[in-house]
């Protein structure tokens, strides 16, 4: 992991520690090296659930992500995805979440409120944090 990546993880971790949102009940992580390192460095000391490697997050489309969330939503109250763009950004937009004009840069965290089954436009972005905003 690069120095910039470690800094982003540190900023995310600090923000999460001070955030008043409940922790997710499941943490799903793409098998990509970068996402695995992000999960370990960011969430390893935050008393989050253990990250579960989810191969379907790699190169996932919006439709793939919706299907995955609907599936895990049957047994989990809340889920956090550590995955990739353009799928994640597309999912947030599909749910109706507003993003910064620059979109979701690496290290962006979006907390969405929604219900199952997922439908277009039914979500609401509760919080958005981009590590670059903290500097």
């Amino acid at each position: 992991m690069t120095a910039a990546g470690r800094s982003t993880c540190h900023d995310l971790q600090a923000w999460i520690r001070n955030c008043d949102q409940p922790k997710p009940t499941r943490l799903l992580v793409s098998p990509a090296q970068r996402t695995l390192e992000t999960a370990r460095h960011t969430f390893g000391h935050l008393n989050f659930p253990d990250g579960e490697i989810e191969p379907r997050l790699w190169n996932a489309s919006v439709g793939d992500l919706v299907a995955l969330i609907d599936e895990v939503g049957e047994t989990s109250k809340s889920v956090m995805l550590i995955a990739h763009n353009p799928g994640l950004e597309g999912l947030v937009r599909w749910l109706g979440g507003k993003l910064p004009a620059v979109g979701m840069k690496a290290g962006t965290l979006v907390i969405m409120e929604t219900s199952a089954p997922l439908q277009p436009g039914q979500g609401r972005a509760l919080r958005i944090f981009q590590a670059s905003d903290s500097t």
Side-chain angles (χ1 to χ4, degrees):
M1 177 173 278
T2 66
R6 283 190 296 280
S7 177
T8 295
C9 290
H10 174 76
D11 292 346
L12 281 166
Q13 189 179 78
W15 188 83
I16 291 166
R17 272 197 179 107
N18 295 312
C19 181
D20 60 354
Q21 297 295 314
K23 292 178 177 72
T25 55
R26 287 186 73 184
L27 178 62
L28 302 179
V29 185
S30 163
Q33 186 66 32
R34 186 174 181 183
T35 53
L36 293 170
E37 289 177 351
T38 297
R40 185 168 35 91
H41 285 282
T42 304
F43 302 101
H45 302 289
L46 288 176
N47 196 29
F48 266 55
D50 289 337
E52 303 169 45
I53 296 174
E54 177 50 70
R56 294 176 289 177
L57 290 173
W58 179 255
N59 274 339
S61 67
V62 172
D64 296 334
L65 294 172
V66 169
L68 177 62
I69 293 168
D70 278 340
E71 177 187 317
V72 299
E74 294 177 9
T75 59
S76 303
K77 182 178 178 184
S78 61
V79 63
M80 176 181 274
L81 305 178
I82 302 177
H84 314 276
N85 274 334
L88 283 178
E89 185 170 325
L91 175 66
V92 171
R93 291 186 192 285
W94 183 85
L95 286 170
K98 304 251 188 279
L99 290 174
V102 296
M104 287 177 57
K105 299 181 282 185
T108 298
L109 185 134
V110 179
I111 300 173
M112 297 286 300
E113 179 180 73
T114 190
S115 59
L118 298 181
Q119 298 293 321
Q122 76 173 28
R124 182 170 69 100
L126 300 175
R127 309 284 294 268
I128 298 173
F129 175 76
Q130 290 188 319
S132 59
D133 294 343
S134 66
T135 56

